[in-house]
C-alpha cells in the first residue's frame, strides 16, 4: 500500500483537489469573512460575546454553518457566562456542527440513497464547506469531540439547582422592572438586588414550597454576580413568546436555532437595550448597565411591560420600593 505522503503527492490527488476547488468556485456565492476567526471568537481566553452578537445581527453572508454554530455558542454562554472553558457552550456548538453536517448530507441525497463518491464530495466540500471543516470542525476537535458531545445529555450539564437559580434571577429582574417603572414616576427607591431579596424573603414566609421555585439569598447573589453581562438578554428573552413558550425557555433547553429563531433576534436585542437604558439606568449598581452595554452596543430599543405580580408581591413591592412619606412636623 502506498504511503500517505506518496498519495498526497500523486497526480491523481492533485487532480481531485483541483476539481474540487473548481467546483467550489462554480457553486459558491460571494461570502464575507468574519472579523475574527472562529477560534478567537469562541475558543480563546474569553468568549467574544459582543462580536458574536454583532455577527448574528448583521446581514452579511459568511461561510456555511458559521452563524448556526455561533448561535449555539451564544446560547451556552448566556446560561453560564462565568467560565472560560464552558462545557455547555462547547457541547452546544458540537451538536450544532453535527446538525449542519447532517443537513449537508440530506441536501446531497446521501440519506435517501446508497452512498456514492459524487454525492459525498458535494455534501462534504460544497454544502458542508471547506471553510467550515477548517475553521469549525477542526478547531472543535473533529470526530472525537463530536462523539463526546453526542453522548452527553443537556440535563446532565444544566442541573435543576442551576435552573432554579436562573428562575430566581428572572423573578428578581421582574421586581427591578416594576421598581424602575415606579421610579420613573418619582415614587420609589432605586431598584437594587437587596430590595429584590427582601421581596423574595417576604414571599418565602407565605409560600410553603418556596425552595421548589427559588434559591436562597446567597445562591441568588452568586448567580447574579456571575451573570451581570447577560441579565438584560435573558430577561428580554423571557418576555418574547415563541408559540407556547418563551425565547428564554428555548435558550435554556439549548434549542436556540439561527435558522428557526433569527427572526426574533432584532426584537430580542432591542428589548435587552430597553432593560439596560430603562431598568439598569436607575439601579444602585452602575455595573449592571456598563456590562450590558458592552455586549449590546448602541441601537434601537423596544419598550415592554413587566410580568404581573401576585397580590402578595404587590404588597411587598410597596413595602420595599415605595418611599416612606415624610411626617409633618
Amino acid at each position: 500500500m502506498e504511503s500517505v505522503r506518496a498519495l498526497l503527492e500523486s497526480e491523481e490527488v492533485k487532480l481531485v483537489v483541483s476539481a474540487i476547488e473548481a467546483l467550489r468556485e462554480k457553486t459558491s456565492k460571494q461570502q464575507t469573512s468574519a472579523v475574527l476567526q472562529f477560534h478567537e471568537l469562541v475558543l480563546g481566553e474569553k468568549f467574544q460575546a459582543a462580536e458574536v452578537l454583532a455577527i448574528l445581527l448583521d446581514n452579511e453572508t459568511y461561510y456555511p454553518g458559521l452563524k448556526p454554530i455561533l448561535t449555539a455558542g451564544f446560547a451556552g454562554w448566556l446560561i453560564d457566562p462565568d467560565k472560560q472553558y464552558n462545557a455547555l457552550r462547547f457541547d452546544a456548538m458540537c451538536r450544532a456542527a453535527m446538525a449542519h453536517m447532517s443537513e449537508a448530507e440530506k441536501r446531497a441525497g446521501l440519506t435517501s440513497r446508497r452512498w456514492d463518491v459524487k454525492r459525498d464530495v458535494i455534501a462534504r466540500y460544497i454544502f458542508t464547506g471547506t471553510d467550515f471543516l477548517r475553521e469549525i470542525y477542526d478547531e472543535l476537535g473533529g470526530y472525537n469531540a463530536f462523539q463526546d458531545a453526542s453522548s452527553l445529555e443537556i440535563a446532565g450539564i444544566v442541573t435543576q439547582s442551576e435552573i432554579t437559580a436562573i428562575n430566581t434571577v428572572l423573578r428578581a429582574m421582574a421586581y427591578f422592572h416594576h421598581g424602575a417603572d415606579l421610579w420613573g414616576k418619582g415614587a420609589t427607591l432605586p431598584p437594587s438586588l437587596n430590595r429584590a431579596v427582601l421581596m423574595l424573603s417576604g414571599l418565602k414566609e407565605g409560600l410553603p414550597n418556596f425552595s421548589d421555585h427559588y434559591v436562597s439569598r446567597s445562591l441568588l447573589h452568586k448567580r447574579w454576580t456571575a451573570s451581570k453581562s447577560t441579565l438584560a438578554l435573558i430577561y428580554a428573552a423571557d418576555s418574547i413568546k415563541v408559540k407556547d413558550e418563551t425565547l428564554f425557555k428555548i435558550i435554556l433547553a439549548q434549542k436556540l436555532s439561527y435558522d428557526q429563531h433569527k427572526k426574533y433576534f432584532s426584537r430580542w436585542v432591542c428589548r435587552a437595550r430597553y432593560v439596560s437604558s430603562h431598568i439598569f439606568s436607575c439601579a444602585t449598581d452602575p455595573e449592571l448597565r456598563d456590562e450590558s452595554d458592552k455586549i449590546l452596543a448602541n441601537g434601537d430599543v423596544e419598550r415592554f411591560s413587566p410580568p404581573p405580580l401576585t397580590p402578595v408581591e404587590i404588597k411587598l413591592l410597596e413595602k420595599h420600593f415605595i418611599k416612606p412619606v415624610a411626617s409633618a412636623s
Side-chain angles (χ1 to χ4, degrees), residues 121-277:
V121 166
I122 292 171
R124 183 176 298 273
Y125 300 109
I126 304 304
F127 294 154
T128 297
T130 53
D131 288 324
F132 170 90
L133 293 171
R134 178 180 61 252
E135 295 288 336
I136 296 179
Y137 178 85
D138 188 55
E139 290 291 347
L140 288 176
Y143 176 80
N144 289 334
F146 290 8
Q147 186 179 41
D148 291 341
S150 66
S151 65
L152 295 173
E153 293 292 335
I154 293 296
I157 302 175
V158 184
T159 64
Q160 184 56 49
S161 62
E162 289 173 318
I163 293 173
T164 305
I166 293 171
N167 287 334
T168 309
V169 166
L170 289 174
R171 203 58 189 167
M173 282 294 302
Y175 301 153
F176 261 67
H177 195 165
H178 280 278
D181 285 353
L182 291 172
W183 171 266
K185 300 175 183 178
T188 66
L189 298 165
S192 71
L193 182 58
N194 285 337
R195 292 190 181 93
V197 167
L198 288 172
M199 285 192 62
L200 286 165
S201 297
L203 192 63
K204 181 179 181 179
E205 296 174 5
L207 193 64
N209 58 343
F210 178 88
S211 60
D212 293 338
H213 302 282
Y214 304 110
V215 296
S216 66
R217 176 180 184 145
S218 60
L219 290 177
L220 171 58
H221 271 277
K222 181 179 179 181
R223 182 74 205 194
W224 184 276
T225 301
S227 305
K228 284 185 178 181
S229 58
T230 66
L231 289 175
L233 281 161
I234 63 175
Y235 182 64
D238 202 48
S239 73
I240 296 174
K241 293 290 184 181
V242 181
K243 295 182 179 179
D244 296 329
E245 53 189 343
T246 68
L247 187 63
F248 179 70
K249 296 299 182 185
I250 293 170
I251 293 169
L252 187 59
Q254 291 297 285
K255 294 180 180 179
L256 187 69
S257 162
Y258 179 76
D259 292 331
Q260 292 182 41
H261 304 117
K262 61 182 176 182
K263 60 185 176 183
Y264 299 103
F265 284 7
S266 178
R267 184 184 184 193
W268 174 24
V269 174
C270 287
R271 287 194 171 198
R273 292 193 185 110
Y274 177 74
V275 173
S276 183
S277 63

